[in-house]
Amino acid sequence: MDTVRRKRRDFLQNIAIVVLTLSAVALFVQTQLYNLNQDNDYFRSLSAGSTASQSPPTSLTDLSAPVRIAVTGDYGHYGNVQMTTTDKAFTESLRSLLRGALGSAQTFTPCSGEEFLSAISGVSIYYDFLNPLPLSVLAGLVGEASDNETISARQLVLADRGEDGVRLYLSDGSTYLSCSVAVSASRLADTVSSYELGGAFFAFESAEAEPLFASLAPCSLFLNPLPQVSALSAKTPLSDTDWLLSALGFNPNTKSRYTESSGTEVIIRGDCSLRIRSDGTVSYDGGSTPTLQISAQEDATVNQRILAVQSLLNSIFSNFSSDASLYLVSVQASGSSMVLRFGYQVEGVPIRFSNNADAAMVTLSGSDVTALTLRIRQYSHTGELASLLPLRQSLAIAAQTPGGELSIGYTDRGGDTADASWLLD
């Protein structure tokens, strides 16, 4: 009997020893993986996968970019200043028209600003992407392939020019170009006729009746009545920064981590550094051996790099929910180097910081992220409508800065709200 008990006891002890050994090995492996050099591709893939809660974008059509629209017919304009490129109202017909125009555009020739405004005044569709972007990027946003990275445009007009057919006009704010496109006048007219016209106007059309409009940029677009804009709350979601360190390739348990007297948290890894300020500003310096890389080849196109950077930013911002999203503001490329700037937008309405800082700025050298600056803010709808300063009062203020464009946006001064306001650019 004693022999049976002893065998049973030995058997249970052996099981316990095996379980404890396996647990120790697992803990050791986990610790070593955490402290491994994070330039390791396998570790990086695990780290990125742990933070991303959404599928990475596969094409630029997946990106939500603000776009202001004016549809013009014989009875005036339809306008919308609260639209994005992923909204159903845009994708149903407006996107396909612009895609057809960009896909068939051949050689652009210079034209005058007056011709550009004349095109807006006739049967046309006006697209304003808020900032100049390479034509290849604009084409990508509407689902068209283009390798034209030399021409940039912010405002595009698809207009019926009578005997000259339908033409596409481009403007980056100072240069004007036009091109014949393979979009039929009947298709353009059918699209225009599907909108209720008469509720929008441009500054240049009202300058004679109201001199205050003459002081504005001609293409400042206004709606009558003014659009209703949601009120937003705002906060900086950085009470705990461990998740941010992990997302940016730093070990949260590192001993090279301290807080300055100003409240700025500093983390060092080799000659890489990360600085986190209390206002949500995050600065990453990759040094000579950056810990961050984008998932793109060295010879990747501009659009491919934009998608890879957007995936990286999504993985960072997926750690908290927000009613705002990032959108591409500018692209500066030179060889294998590139600087991408992003802003925040809510339902097509941009959010500006009082110091004009970017929501994100990413500097690339090949696939390495050599520098990264973020302004991490979380925005939520309050369920109420925001109050805007009356248009006439805003015009009087804007008139003191001739040539500025007046538009609706949000201003974030670092408090607990983002205030709806008139922006003057």
Side-chain angles (χ1 to χ4, degrees):
M1 195 68 176
D2 290 340
T3 302
V4 173
R5 288 198 186 109
R6 187 168 54 254
K7 288 183 177 180
R8 182 180 301 165
R9 183 188 60 197
D10 292 344
F11 176 72
L12 293 174
Q13 284 179 340
N14 289 337
I15 291 178
I17 291 170
V18 171
V19 171
L20 289 173
T21 301
L22 291 175
S23 298
V25 170
L27 181 60
F28 175 78
V29 171
Q30 183 180 21
T31 302
Q32 293 305 307
L33 277 176
Y34 202 82
N35 290 288
L36 276 175
N37 186 317
Q38 293 189 21
D39 287 333
N40 182 279
D41 290 337
Y42 175 68
F43 182 86
R44 183 179 295 109
S45 67
L46 291 177
S47 176
S50 67
T51 58
S53 63
Q54 53 184 307
S55 300
T58 57
S59 72
L60 292 191
T61 55
D62 295 332
L63 307 186
S64 181
V67 56
R68 297 175 187 144
I69 295 294
V71 179
T72 304
D74 295 333
Y75 302 101
H77 308 284
Y78 160 84
N80 193 319
V81 296
Q82 297 169 284
M83 186 179 289
T84 73
T85 53
T86 55
D87 289 345
K88 185 178 180 180
F90 182 80
T91 60
E92 282 186 331
S93 58
L94 297 172
R95 184 172 71 178
S96 61
L97 273 175
L98 186 54
R99 181 173 63 240
L102 290 172
S104 61
Q106 297 295 322
T107 303
F108 286 93
T109 57
C111 65
S112 65
E114 289 75 15
E115 186 177 349
F116 184 86
L117 296 181
S118 173
I120 294 176
S121 300
V123 175
S124 63
I125 299 176
Y126 168 88
Y127 304 80
D128 180 1
F129 290 90
L130 279 60
N131 300 278
L133 293 170
L135 212 56
S136 61
V137 175
L138 295 176
L141 288 172
V142 297
E144 182 59 42
S146 171
D147 58 1
N148 193 331
E149 299 174 355
T150 58
I151 296 178
S152 291
R154 168 190 163 174
Q155 298 154 322
L156 300 88
V157 182
L158 197 56
D160 182 358
R161 305 303 281 170
E163 293 182 356
D164 291 334
V166 174
R167 295 186 67 84
L168 177 64
Y169 294 81
L170 310 178
S171 172
D172 63 2
S174 59
T175 301
Y176 300 91
L177 303 171
S178 75
C179 177
S180 177
V181 293
V183 175
S184 68
S186 60
R187 185 184 176 195
L188 178 60
D190 288 343
T191 301
V192 170
S193 66
S194 66
Y195 289 87
E196 184 176 346
L197 307 178
F201 62 95
F202 289 95
F204 76 90
E205 298 171 317
S206 302
E208 186 174 342
E210 174 50 79
L212 287 174
F213 283 108
S215 66
L216 299 178
C219 289
S220 296
L221 178 62
F222 301 96
L223 306 188
N224 186 19
L226 291 178
Q228 294 183 330
V229 182
S230 300
L232 297 179
S233 63
K235 67 177 182 179
T236 301
L238 287 179
S239 56
D240 171 26
T241 58
D242 284 0
W243 64 266
L244 182 59
L245 268 65
S246 296
L248 294 176
F250 288 79
N251 183 350
N253 296 321
T254 180
K255 294 181 179 179
S256 300
R257 179 178 183 178
Y258 61 91
T259 302
E260 296 178 335
S261 58
S262 63
T264 299
E265 190 175 2
V266 181
I267 302 91
I268 305 296
R269 183 171 184 270
D271 61 351
C272 298
S273 65
L274 183 65
R275 303 176 69 86
I276 307 173
R277 291 172 48 186
S278 57
D279 67 352
T281 300
V282 178
S283 300
Y284 162 85
D285 184 344
S288 60
T289 55
T291 60
L292 281 179
Q293 288 185 324
I294 58 171
S295 301
Q297 301 296 325
E298 291 292 329
D299 59 349
T301 64
V302 169
N303 288 11
Q304 289 170 338
R305 292 187 184 187
I306 290 171
L307 285 173
V309 169
Q310 186 73 56
S311 294
L312 171 65
L313 294 176
N314 285 354
S315 72
I316 297 171
F317 283 86
S318 66
N319 286 276
F320 58 91
S321 61
S322 178
D323 289 330
S325 61
L326 294 172
Y327 74 97
L328 184 64
V329 171
S330 70
V331 180
Q332 295 173 294
S334 177
S336 62
S337 298
M338 182 178 294
V339 178
L340 302 177
R341 297 176 184 270
F342 295 81
Y344 285 119
Q345 59 98 5
V346 174
E347 298 170 345
V349 180
I351 301 173
R352 301 280 179 81
F353 293 112
S354 55
N355 62 353
N356 290 321
D358 298 306
M361 182 175 72
V362 184
T363 302
L364 301 175
S365 178
S367 60
D368 289 330
V369 178
T370 58
L372 172 68
T373 302
L374 306 173
R375 182 70 184 274
I376 298 182
R377 294 282 277 169
Q378 182 181 18
Y379 302 96
S380 302
H381 291 290
T382 66
E384 300 178 352
L385 294 177
S387 298
L388 281 168
L389 190 68
L391 177 57
R392 187 164 186 83
Q393 289 179 248
S394 300
L395 287 172
I397 296 172
Q400 300 175 27
T401 309
E405 180 184 9
L406 197 61
S407 63
I408 294 173
Y410 291 99
T411 301
D412 185 346
R413 296 179 174 84
D416 58 4
T417 63
D419 302 319
S421 59
W422 291 97
L423 305 177
L424 187 63
D425 297 312

